[in-house]
Amino acid sequence: MAYNIIFYFSDQQRWDTCGCFGQPLNVTPNLDKLAEEGVKFDNAFSPQPVCGPCRALFQTGKYPTETGCFRNNLMLPSNIKTLGEYMEKDAGYETAYVGKWHLASDGELEKKPTIDHTITAVPLELRGGYTGYWRAADVLEFTSHGYDGYVFDENNNRIDFKGYRADCINQFALDYLDQYTGEKPFFMTVSQIEPHHQNDHNHYEGPNGSKQRFADFVLPEDLKALGGNAAEEYPDYLGQCASLDENLGKLVSKLKEKGLYDNTVILYASDHGSHFKTRNRDAHLNGYDDYKRSCHDGCLHVPLVICGGPFKGGKEVTELVSTESIPKTLLALAGVDVGDKMIGENLLDVVEKKNHNRANEVYAQISESRCGRCIRTADYMYSVYAPGVNGGEAAASDVYADDFLYDMQKDPWQLNNVVADPAYADVKAELRERLLNWIQHAEGTRPTITD
């Protein structure tokens, strides 16, 4: 029988919250166990560190500039075949979607949408091809807080929940497994909102007791050096991550109880990280940012672990990979080869080192805080922005200018911008050319980049 597949992803989780990626406290023992059994990707990066655009990419396998979903508050287009449609129609899977959707409302940025499902049921035609089990809200942070809230089911009924949000969202996933009949393989997405901050409270809301439980936290070096609000918020942030991990453990236990674990692949990732208000102070900020919208590892570097099926053996992948490859990889696990209909690569090919000429680099599109682009290699991060262009209004630009260049070998926490240093002129020229080539390939135009 085909593999069952679970895509479990968090919202705004840095890679270094996880023990398997260097977190010194015992925050993620269950994910660490999956990493020991499966494959962990040490250098996984988001291609677009904003909730809506990254989710649109996860559902379409296309860049946000192609789907039009380049910022939040934009609806998933109806004319693109989605991951859910492929899974149901091509692969013959039954589907379940639990948690945050964020792709069913449309309007201007940071204003009330003109098509507004943020706190109402998402109609079937706006669920991206998922016709099965549904326990979701379009903007979960609007229908809930750290404790208590509501989602909607596949019949548009409101389902209220009481308790810590991550526990309740996970319980809907457990409920699905309890009613699963086994007639078809299943593909379930568990889209948790933790550890995202709670917008209307301006606070990371960990379970009660998080500040005491993680009082001995050690701030990552970028957050320690740059300030922001991490010193106050990090214990609750770790509490949120620990709650996610505990719930992941419950899901694994339920799979084992049902006799499903050995034939299930679990892919754990996050849409983007968090810079804790440290990277939104530059003079050319042109748009909106709080925690994530920039070309820094704090925003882009995310956890990625895949366990089950062919992803086994406790392997460690050190090559750079992009989470843009998640939809193609999930479909490959389901027996569907989408070829060039989706961006990215089958991550199993990376594990098995099938492409000896593979470029060890990733790219990202930045919106809302600015219109930007970047290339990340093992040795450097180079980023550009569009002068005078509001990142909430324009998806792309004909002209970009240098923003950052970091030497990752000398400066792994990206604290010393050497973009104007003559000693790096040749490096910058090479990275600029590679970035331009990628923009031309990905977006169909070749802009100009100036110093």
Side-chain angles (χ1 to χ4, degrees):
M1 184 178 176
Y3 298 119
N4 302 309
I5 303 169
I6 296 175
F7 178 24
Y8 203 108
F9 76 96
S10 58
D11 190 331
Q12 207 160 295
Q13 184 178 11
R14 291 169 63 109
W15 86 103
D16 50 14
T17 56
C18 307
C20 56
F21 300 118
Q23 169 58 228
L25 300 182
N26 188 28
V27 178
T28 58
N30 293 294
L31 183 66
D32 301 343
K33 183 66 165 61
L34 292 182
E36 290 173 4
E37 295 179 18
V39 179
K40 73 184 183 91
F41 295 82
D42 290 343
N43 292 293
F45 292 83
S46 172
Q48 225 292 8
V50 180
C51 299
C54 193
R55 280 165 173 71
L57 190 155
F58 284 165
Q59 298 306 322
T60 63
K62 296 183 183 298
Y63 288 115
T65 46
E66 182 174 355
T67 63
C69 298
F70 74 97
R71 58 161 172 82
N72 283 334
N73 225 14
L74 289 171
M75 184 183 296
L76 193 69
S78 59
N79 61 343
I80 297 176
K81 190 169 182 179
T82 61
L83 177 62
E85 289 180 279
Y86 276 110
M87 283 291 185
E88 290 192 7
K89 296 177 180 178
D90 291 48
Y93 276 59
E94 71 174 70
T95 60
Y97 194 99
V98 174
K100 176 176 174 176
W101 179 239
H102 214 170
L103 293 170
S105 300
D106 204 90
E108 293 185 48
L109 186 64
E110 298 300 307
K111 294 184 179 179
K112 182 177 173 57
T114 51
I115 300 174
D116 190 358
H117 297 289
T118 55
I119 59 172
T120 60
V122 175
L124 178 62
E125 65 271 17
L126 298 182
R127 296 180 198 161
Y130 295 96
T131 66
Y133 183 92
W134 181 268
R135 298 290 184 276
D138 189 36
V139 186
L140 187 58
E141 58 265 50
F142 289 7
T143 69
S144 60
H145 292 96
Y147 283 85
D148 307 338
Y150 61 91
V151 294
F152 297 90
D153 69 9
E154 58 271 11
N155 298 313
N156 299 326
N157 297 311
R158 173 170 160 162
I159 310 294
D160 290 274
F161 59 80
K162 292 288 186 182
Y164 191 63
R165 178 169 52 197
D167 299 340
C168 298
I169 295 302
N170 196 74
Q171 186 59 50
F172 293 130
L174 301 180
D175 293 345
Y176 169 74
L177 293 177
D178 278 334
Q179 58 97 68
Y180 173 63
T181 63
E183 293 179 15
K184 295 180 179 180
F186 71 81
F187 169 55
M188 177 165 62
T189 298
V190 183
S191 173
Q192 292 272 21
I193 188 173
E194 271 68 35
H196 195 288
H197 67 289
Q198 184 60 36
N199 302 55
D200 58 341
H201 292 172
N202 193 29
H203 173 54
Y204 284 94
E205 298 190 336
N208 294 334
S210 292
K211 287 192 183 300
Q212 294 74 32
R213 181 179 176 186
F214 296 107
D216 295 331
F217 68 89
V218 179
L219 278 183
E221 293 299 320
D222 58 327
L223 304 182
K224 188 187 302 182
L226 297 172
N229 65 356
E232 309 88 60
E233 296 291 330
Y234 202 64
D236 275 292
Y237 184 73
L238 291 181
Q240 291 176 293
C241 295
S243 175
L244 292 178
D245 190 75
E246 289 158 10
N247 281 293
L248 178 64
K250 293 176 186 176
L251 192 63
V252 169
S253 295
K254 178 66 73 171
L255 291 168
K256 291 180 178 178
E257 172 194 322
K258 296 291 182 180
L260 297 168
Y261 181 74
D262 290 341
N263 195 49
T264 299
V265 180
I266 300 173
L267 190 155
Y268 186 97
S270 190
D271 56 352
H272 53 75
S274 176
H275 64 63
F276 286 88
K277 298 188 176 181
T278 60
R279 300 293 192 176
N280 57 350
R281 305 170 185 176
D282 49 288
H284 56 259
L285 186 75
N286 195 345
Y288 168 76
D289 188 28
D290 47 12
Y291 289 104
K292 58 230 181 190
R293 301 165 176 88
S294 80
C295 290
H296 293 89
D297 281 13
C299 312
L300 299 178
H301 196 174
V302 293
L304 177 59
V305 172
I306 312 178
C307 181
F311 292 89
K312 57 189 176 183
K315 296 175 182 175
E316 178 181 23
V317 174
T318 59
E319 290 88 350
L320 279 69
V321 300
S322 173
T323 55
E324 72 183 32
S325 296
I326 285 176
K328 180 174 281 189
T329 301
L330 293 172
L331 287 171
L333 284 165
V336 178
D337 181 358
V338 292
D340 60 4
K341 294 177 182 176
M342 288 186 173
I343 59 174
E345 56 194 336
N346 179 358
L347 291 172
L348 185 60
D349 292 344
V350 183
V351 177
E352 296 179 344
K353 300 186 184 299
K354 288 189 175 179
N355 182 359
H356 298 293
N357 297 316
R358 179 183 182 273
N360 192 31
E361 60 195 29
V362 294
Y363 298 86
Q365 298 174 334
I366 305 297
S367 65
E368 299 195 6
S369 70
R370 75 209 72 211
C371 178
R373 303 291 185 265
C374 66
I375 174 175
R376 173 70 155 83
T377 71
D379 295 324
Y380 298 101
M381 165 64 86
Y382 172 62
S383 172
V384 300
Y385 75 103
V389 177
N390 188 296
E393 298 175 355
S397 176
D398 293 330
V399 179
Y400 293 94
D402 290 340
D403 202 347
F404 315 116
L405 175 61
Y406 296 105
D407 184 331
M408 297 303 301
Q409 299 305 310
K410 296 180 180 178
D411 181 27
W413 295 100
Q414 300 175 337
L415 301 175
N416 181 30
N417 182 8
V418 296
V419 75
D421 187 336
Y424 289 87
D426 291 343
V427 168
K428 184 173 73 173
E430 179 187 347
L431 293 171
R432 180 184 286 182
E433 183 68 15
R434 286 155 72 177
L435 181 58
L436 283 168
N437 289 341
W438 176 82
I439 294 173
Q440 184 172 9
H441 171 76
E443 303 176 24
T445 62
R446 191 176 181 89
T448 301
I449 298 177
T450 63
D451 291 331

